[in-house]
Amino acid sequence: MEIKKITAGVYAAPTKHWDRRLFDELVPLPDGTSYNAYIVKGDSKTALIDTVEPSKQQELLDVLQDMNVNIDYIIANHAEQDHSGSIPAVLKRYPNAKVICTQKCKVMLTEHLLINEDLITAVDDHSTLSLGGKTLEFIHTPWVHWPETMSTYLQEDHILFSCDFLGSHLATSELFVKNKAETYNAAKRYYAEIMMPFRIPIRKNMEKIKDLHIDIIAPSHGPLYDKPEIILDAYQDWVSDDVKNEVVIPFVSMHGSTEAMVNYLIDALIKRGIKVKPFNLAVTDIGELAMALVDAATIVIGTPTVLAGPHPNAVYAAYLANALRPKTRFASIIGSYGWGGRMTEDIKGLIKNLKVELIEPVVIKGYPKEDDFGMLDRLADEIFKKHKEI
Ligand code: FEO
């Protein structure tokens, strides 16, 4: 790994995980990721801000050795192991270093990483630490996406080290964002998969940092922003209550009947000027589905009835949408059955977290016939009407 200078006395150590394809054994990473540690050298002390995922810890230790620095402080913005997991190795190398974090993070670091609590100092919201000519301010930004998270603001250089907050899973050789569209996409995916359930606390955190003079946002995943408005404006949009005139249709079909219904509904919605994002759950990347849920006003789940209930792929999509808690306002269910079952009741039971108005489902027997297509037209009309009202 190459150390990269951000400004005088401030360095980035972005460890790339180019070929990582899954996070938490759940989240797809089509673009890999990075774990960014930062080194801030003051006149008298040096701080390391966040570390790296344990499998990459030797790269970080090598960088610190090449820099020939002594680490006095390890700032742990977040206790999750992809940032904190190398703290024990850094402490072994620099046994006099003090770990700085929130009180909740202190408890987590002792529980998850077995770090001696005597080595950890908990800091209050907005407290500061002088390194000599460089002042770190610790801003508590809880629930992005764990309860203990904070951001660190370097007052003299106007740099916000935000850890997961405002980050993106994107491995790139560029230190700063060069390709805005690529980064926007990766950051939106990251928001959708990880941050979306915490939209309201994130809104509060956005409010908390809005008056800071920020020249650079330095997250601990993905490239840095030297034009902070790129990501701040995007987050304002994502965390707002505004929804778009869009319908997301996660669906699965076994013998083509539900698919025929989905295809008819897609055309019916398009004819009414509504943007449609269908996802065939047999092949879809769930990250793409999560991204679509960031903006859409409506979700329609399409599933056949199998073994008296919804298809397991539809159960997974409904469970995921329920867990991600998008700002979606309306929901419906469509699908075909052979001889009966309780598919709609099961799906409804799975999406109780969603603050949605349920539009009458369209559930039919066998392959759709003329009357069934008529019901889908009426569903499209109802969605059109609801979208108009907002
Ligand atoms: Fe990148 Fe929540 O860890």
Side-chain angles (χ1 to χ4, degrees), residues 23-24 34-35 78-83 144-146 148-149 163-164 169 190 194-195 220-221:
F23 201 91
D24 292 344
S34 68
Y35 319 104
H78 179 22
E80 193 167 10
Q81 290 84 341
D82 52 326
H83 309 291
V144 287
H145 55 126
W146 281 15
E148 86 302 356
T149 44
C163 199
D164 279 350
H169 280 313
Y190 187 84
I194 294 162
M195 297 294 172
S220 291
H221 293 294

Side-chain angles (χ1 to χ4, degrees), residues 14 24 48 238 265 268 311 332 335:
D24 292 344
L48 173 67
W238 300 334
L265 182 64
H311 189 287
S332 192

Side-chain angles (χ1 to χ4, degrees), residues 84-115:
S84 67
S86 298
I87 291 176
V90 176
L91 280 172
K92 200 167 173 191
R93 171 79 65 82
Y94 304 96
N96 295 319
K98 293 261 174 294
V99 179
I100 307 286
C101 62
T102 65
Q103 179 59 37
K104 280 187 179 157
C105 187
K106 177 174 178 173
V107 174
M108 287 184 169
L109 292 177
T110 57
E111 285 177 345
H112 292 284
L113 293 159
L114 312 180
I115 297 172

